[in-house]
Amino acid sequence: QVQLTESGGGLVQPGGSLRLSCAASGNMHGIVIKGWYRQSPGQSRELVAEIRGRSTTNYADSVKGRFTISDDNAQDTVYLQMSRLEPEDTTVYYCNFKIGGIWNIWGQGTQVTVSS
């Protein structure tokens, strides 16, 4: 059983920074692809960033150069460092692990609000 626990969301001013954390517990077998998604009401869930292995990453065009995904294997935690935040980044962010090509696990979501 795998569980993902998210933290780090909150209210920041435009141009500010936040770091989201996603801590995993439980046994994971096989290859794990870790990612961050976001979803606003009435919208589809959008891939923000993902990481495969140590350093293979993929970002949405809207966040390239501003967001960085990283993986702390020792703590089994994935992070999303967000900088130069914009009001358009306001939404709920979800952590996701794809495990062994079979299981798809989601965190509970954390709210990010960018406003002056």
Side-chain angles (χ1 to χ4, degrees):
Q1 183 176 349
V2 177
Q3 182 174 327
L4 306 179
T5 302
E6 298 182 34
S7 62
L11 173 65
V12 297
Q13 296 187 89
S17 299
L18 283 174
R19 188 178 74 163
L20 306 183
S21 299
C22 177
S25 62
N27 294 323
M28 290 176 283
H29 303 280
I31 298 172
V32 181
I33 302 172
K34 305 171 183 179
W36 289 95
Y37 293 72
R38 61 189 182 186
Q39 184 174 27
S40 296
Q43 304 294 318
S44 60
R45 191 162 294 186
E46 173 193 23
L47 174 67
V48 176
E50 65 179 4
I51 184 167
R52 302 171 179 238
R54 292 184 179 182
S55 59
T56 302
T57 58
N58 183 40
Y59 296 93
D61 288 341
S62 59
V63 307
K64 286 181 179 177
R66 299 190 298 118
F67 291 9
T68 301
I69 188 170
S70 61
D71 188 6
D72 184 344
N73 289 324
Q75 297 294 321
D76 207 7
T77 302
V78 64
Y79 302 94
L80 184 67
Q81 178 66 49
M82 305 183 292
S83 62
R84 305 199 306 278
L85 283 160
E86 305 166 354
E88 292 74 19
D89 297 317
T90 297
T91 190
V92 178
Y93 287 72
Y94 297 89
C95 180
N96 172 258
F97 280 29
K98 296 179 174 64
I99 305 171
I102 299 175
W103 295 278
N104 193 29
I105 310 299
W106 294 94
Q108 80 279 8
T110 185
Q111 176 72 46
V112 172
T113 302
V114 185
S115 177
S116 60

